[in-house]
Amino acid sequence: MPIEHVSDTARWVAVYRAMESERPDALFHDPFARRLAGDRGERIVAEMPRGQAAAWSMIVRTAVFDEIILDAVTRGGADTVVNLAAGLDARPWRLPLPPTLHWVDVDLPAILAYKTEAIGDARPACRYEAIAADLTDDAARDAVFARIGAASRSALVVSEGLLVYLTAEQAGALATALHEVPSFRRWLFDLASPRLLRMMQRMWGRRAAEGNAPFRFAPAEGPEFFRRYGWRLAEFRSGVAESWRLRREMRFGWLWRFVSRISGARRREEYHRMFGFVLLERDDAPGEEHVPPGEVRH
């Protein structure tokens, strides 16, 4: 079985970053990706159903997260990036980040040790710190958040590829814990719809579950799920629409575009929100009425 632990999904995604980096028209360049993926990552992609065909969505996610993170630290005033379940993300080494930025990777000890060894002597562009912690341990998680929060003025929290593996209760607990740190101002993550979750479970669900990485979280209300925990929507980018913009569509994407155009408004909206990239901001008065949520890109 190719996936034995949820951390193996980081190797899976690293293969896709390597595939994109080796294109002449690459959207991003990750010189560490092939090394980070290793033979195990290559085997996961080879053995998972439609492993190669799924690359487009992860490539789009990486490119869009790059854009949002860079905007947050260059124009949005973020002095800290808190990368939860950081996995094999190499952004501190490959993005043009300001040297004053404090980047904190939080993940399990084994995956962080593996990444440190694979990255080798390469120097990060910013102040980099790795904190080994189990995010399912509430006390350890809260202690890490408190320490990072005390040292930052305006932090962007990133949880790329994490939420889909949580239960609704765990996602809510994480949202609450993040909101309890005043300097955690924004939160960036990817979010699946119930329809996409069912598709993922049919395609990869058995193998992922057997590797202790079941797909679980896809709230029917989308980003509004987090309003009750003190977060409001700042920006939503449709994964489908971004794939069109970046020219990294799924196979037969032209057919999906055609179907989208001739579908009714409700079906078209469902299609565009099948998965997306969500940027939340603190809402310190979650019970009050607010202006309509931020930009929704179609």
Side-chain angles (χ1 to χ4, degrees):
M1 183 174 60
I3 296 179
E4 295 181 353
H5 188 271
V6 68
S7 296
D8 283 336
T9 62
R11 296 174 182 262
W12 182 3
V13 176
V15 174
Y16 296 149
R17 294 203 308 273
M19 291 167 55
E20 177 65 21
S21 298
E22 291 159 6
R23 289 178 57 134
D25 60 343
L27 297 172
F28 54 81
H29 294 277
D30 186 343
F32 309 98
R34 190 69 70 182
R35 190 189 322 165
L36 288 165
D39 293 340
R40 184 164 188 80
E42 300 285 355
R43 189 162 70 88
I44 290 171
V45 172
E47 295 185 16
M48 292 293 281
R50 298 189 65 209
Q52 292 276 353
W56 69 276
S57 60
M58 297 296 101
I59 290 166
V60 169
R61 185 179 76 182
T62 300
V64 172
F65 271 50
D66 284 359
E67 292 176 0
I68 295 175
I69 291 169
L70 285 172
D71 183 70
V73 301
T74 58
R75 297 197 308 119
D79 63 351
T80 304
V81 174
V82 186
N83 193 12
L84 302 181
L88 301 179
D89 181 13
R91 287 189 177 94
W93 294 270
R94 67 176 183 82
L95 288 185
L97 299 168
T100 55
L101 178 73
H102 185 201
W103 184 292
V104 185
D105 277 352
V106 183
D107 211 327
L108 297 171
I111 193 72
L112 291 177
Y114 172 79
K115 179 161 70 173
T116 298
E117 181 180 0
I119 292 291
D121 296 331
R123 295 179 60 85
C126 57
R127 292 194 298 122
Y128 175 75
E129 180 181 6
I131 298 179
D134 183 350
L135 292 171
T136 65
D137 182 332
D138 293 353
R141 176 200 65 200
D142 293 348
V144 168
F145 288 179
R147 179 163 78 82
I148 299 171
S152 64
R153 176 181 51 82
S154 178
L156 170 68
V157 178
V158 178
S159 53
E160 183 179 15
L162 170 63
L163 295 190
V164 73
Y165 300 107
L166 304 183
T167 64
E169 292 75 17
Q170 289 171 330
L174 176 61
T176 299
L178 290 172
H179 188 267
E180 288 175 352
V181 183
S183 62
F184 288 1
R185 305 303 304 174
R186 283 161 291 180
W187 182 15
L188 173 63
F189 54 84
D190 50 305
L191 191 65
S193 70
R195 181 179 180 184
L196 178 60
L197 184 69
R198 291 191 295 270
M199 294 170 61
M200 293 171 64
Q201 289 171 336
R202 286 196 300 269
M203 190 178 306
W204 300 314
R206 181 181 61 82
R207 296 191 183 206
E210 289 173 351
N212 296 313
F215 303 125
R216 295 186 287 198
F217 185 67
E221 64 268 51
E224 282 298 303
F225 172 90
F226 298 93
R227 179 67 74 100
R228 74 197 78 168
Y229 301 105
W231 298 93
R232 64 185 171 194
L233 184 64
E235 182 177 2
F236 176 86
R237 297 202 197 185
S238 162
V240 173
E242 292 295 275
S243 75
W244 299 349
R245 177 178 71 89
L246 297 170
R247 301 183 183 276
R248 292 296 184 273
E249 294 181 69
M250 71 179 84
R251 189 181 182 189
F252 300 120
W254 62 270
L255 179 60
W256 285 92
R257 286 202 311 274
F258 174 75
V259 171
S260 175
R261 291 192 186 104
I262 65 174
S263 299
R266 181 176 177 180
R267 179 61 63 85
R268 186 161 52 247
E269 183 71 6
E270 179 187 10
Y271 174 60
H272 277 281
R273 287 185 172 270
M274 186 175 296
F275 77 102
F277 314 115
V278 178
L279 181 65
L280 301 181
E281 61 187 7
R282 293 182 66 85
D283 183 356
D284 289 319
E288 298 180 3
E289 291 295 322
H290 296 281
V291 296
E295 177 184 2
V296 177
R297 295 193 184 183
H298 290 250

